[in-house]
Amino acid sequence: MKNIIVSTIIVSSLFLFGSCQDELNYTPTGVLSSSDLTSPAAIDGLVTSAYAAIGNGDMIGPIYSDWVYGSVRSDDAYKGGGGTGDVGEIDALEHYNLTTPTLGAFVTRSWQNLFKSISRCNVALRAVNTLDEAKYPSKKIRLAELRFLRGHSYFVMKRLYKNIPIFDETISDEEILKVSNTISNDESWNKIAADFQFAIDNLPTTQQEVARANKLAAQAYLAKVRLYQAYEQDATHKVVNINKTRLQEVVSLTQAVISSGKYRLSSDIADNFLQETENGPESIFAIQFTVNDGTTAGRMSYEDGLNYPHGAPQYGCCGFHAASQNLVNAHTTDIDGLPNFETFNESNANLNTQTVDPRLDHTVGIDGHPYKYDNSKPFNNSWVRDAGVYGNFHTMRFQQLASSSSYFKLGPFMGTAKNYDILRFDDVLLMQAEAYIQLGQQEKALDIINQIRNRAAASTGRLKKADGTFASKYNVKPYSSTTWTQNFAWKALMWERRIEFATEGSRFFDLVRWGIAEQTLNEYISKEKVRRPYLATAKFTAGRDEYLPIPQAEITFTNGLYKQNPGF
């Protein structure tokens, strides 16, 4: 973490890569338990270790990057890489109907990595509780930080698997083995919410070290929990009710963050995706990464390391996470600078003649367009690894230029020291807008959504080609109040979330939350499989594919205590 001393506890990871399908194994150089640590300084090290844990995922066991689970499983992107067999588990996830409980490299490994982070929080919570406040004046704050971190990991798990076991630091290892995953959906959401509420009650609004969670971050995260909880699902994941009380909580919590004045939209959306402008005014909470920090290999982010252009000499691997034709089409705009809601996907976008939202060139690598704001090396179709299967578009938001000080190459794979935002101000704004629209107060959402669109319109400064012209014809305008009915506002909100967070991994989870995943994704497949025949057998099944299966290894380990999700 850039502003917290991390040398108290060092866990070294040695990554050995044989092929894209090899698992990443690490062996800690030393393991400490809470019983080894009794001084405030040592216990602070355990807290730091818990912060580190939320960034300790793998390329094939991700826990913070949702490019596989939320982008490839949506209509935003294809798997990419060297054909369907290259890291075939992602291909199975992209097809939905090929997903099984025995997908060890992703379904199982992400589960295990998330529980490792939860375990670190619980170990640290037990240690902090051994000291009184006279000896450890920061006790309540550290407890609140740890519960924030634990709440984060449980939230990620619940969004992925839905039916998860939830336990805290007060129970023994033996008791943990008796905790099932069969509590009600509402009860599990409330348990997660309790961690964030504790954080709200005990964290300061501002922390001396920017990397630490604060009260406003906890309010933003609790708003996200309540927003998901508001869309009440039955046992087969169907949305059966939208809870207005929960939505009002979202409005209140997001308003506390907005009215604080501590955060704002960056002037250019690019600032959210560059190491030089990280921890900026839009970043509410981020996982911190470093390079050249005095350690052997720094503290690097590798979860997006497969997603660099394969044919580009400055990268060389691995061509995963290819933007879909559907996503590119969704960026087209009409003469008024508004989305082509009904007609966007009737034909492939002609980027030489049609106008587009500028966010397209912040998101997708396109032939002849500046790649990651470097107009001296524009994206080239020769950089694409398998255009015959996945087309010529590529991903870009989470990649860093090879010339960036944050960039690090380990063997054929790339890592970066760019922080990973978990909560951003644009998300807080759109959460509030969503709640207002669902409450029938859509007029309050108009200005919020237009703030996002106006920022998009202004985000063109880094998009010029070497000759000073733009590669695309940009035209994005705010919405007018004259057409702002609740139905239109809802359509606009859904569209805005897709474009604002395109390829960041929010899309799939939004579709599930709204209860429209089956309809949207099967319509997407019906058109996209003509463009990309490898999707010919893909099918989304409602009541099954909204969530990952519970790993079979975990069910076996608990002797059947954990129950499998429906349909698997």
Side-chain angles (χ1 to χ4, degrees), residues 399-444:
Q399 279 48 67
Q400 298 296 310
L401 291 175
S403 58
S404 169
S405 62
S406 68
Y407 176 86
F408 183 83
K409 192 167 185 178
L410 183 64
F413 302 109
M414 274 63 72
T416 79
K418 166 68 176 69
N419 291 350
Y420 212 98
D421 283 315
I422 300 300
L423 294 166
R424 289 205 315 260
F425 191 66
D426 53 353
D427 195 13
V428 170
L429 290 176
L430 289 176
M431 284 193 288
Q432 185 175 85
E434 181 174 339
Y436 274 138
I437 293 168
Q438 291 286 34
L439 287 167
Q441 302 172 40
Q442 63 274 5
E443 68 282 353
K444 295 180 179 179

Side-chain angles (χ1 to χ4, degrees), residues 50-101:
Y51 272 100
I54 64 171
N56 281 355
D58 303 327
M59 285 183 191
I60 57 171
I63 61 174
Y64 56 86
S65 170
D66 279 318
W67 78 267
V68 172
Y69 299 130
S71 185
V72 170
R73 281 202 301 161
S74 78
D75 46 5
D76 272 7
Y78 317 125
K79 175 182 76 70
T84 57
D86 190 12
V87 193
E89 289 198 8
I90 307 178
D91 182 71
L93 291 164
E94 186 176 10
H95 278 74
Y96 310 111
N97 54 355
L98 301 179
T99 303
T100 69

Side-chain angles (χ1 to χ4, degrees), residues 23-24 94 120 138 145 153 217 235 257 274 302 369 427 522 551:
E23 290 194 350
L24 310 181
E94 186 176 10
R120 282 206 193 181
S138 56
E145 290 176 37
S153 292
V257 178
L274 293 169
Y302 288 102
H369 294 220
D427 195 13
N522 283 333

Side-chain angles (χ1 to χ4, degrees), residues 31 66 76-77 95 107 165 193 196 204 242 252 318 337 346 361 372 387 395 422 434 450 465 497 546 558-559:
V31 178
D66 279 318
D76 272 7
H95 278 74
V107 170
F196 290 118
I242 301 177
S252 299
C318 290
E346 290 181 354
D361 284 326
K372 198 65 183 184
T395 189
I422 300 300
E434 181 174 339
N450 281 341
K465 297 193 296 182
R497 281 198 65 88
E546 290 88 349
T558 61
N559 296 315

Side-chain angles (χ1 to χ4, degrees), residues 147 189-199 222 225-226:
R147 292 191 63 174
W189 278 126
N190 284 335
K191 284 179 177 289
I192 297 168
D195 274 345
F196 290 118
Q197 187 60 58
F198 184 90
L222 182 56
V225 170
R226 294 309 192 195

Side-chain angles (χ1 to χ4, degrees), residues 196-271:
F196 290 118
Q197 187 60 58
F198 184 90
I200 291 169
D201 294 340
N202 292 281
L203 286 175
T205 300
T206 299
Q207 293 264 36
Q208 182 178 356
E209 294 143 328
V210 67
R212 294 191 186 275
N214 62 35
K215 179 186 182 77
L216 297 171
Q219 288 172 316
Y221 222 139
L222 182 56
K224 179 167 280 196
V225 170
R226 294 309 192 195
L227 184 62
Y228 274 78
Q229 190 177 12
Y231 295 85
E232 297 175 351
Q233 298 179 352
D234 65 14
T236 59
H237 320 319
K238 182 179 180 181
V239 176
V240 294
N241 183 53
I242 301 177
N243 189 309
K244 301 300 175 62
T245 300
R246 295 300 185 204
L247 292 174
Q248 191 55 58
E249 288 183 74
V250 174
V251 170
S252 299
L253 288 161
T254 54
Q255 189 56 36
V257 178
I258 294 167
S259 62
S260 73
K262 185 177 177 65
Y263 304 103
R264 59 176 173 79
L265 292 176
S266 299
S267 58
D268 189 326
I269 193 173
D271 290 342

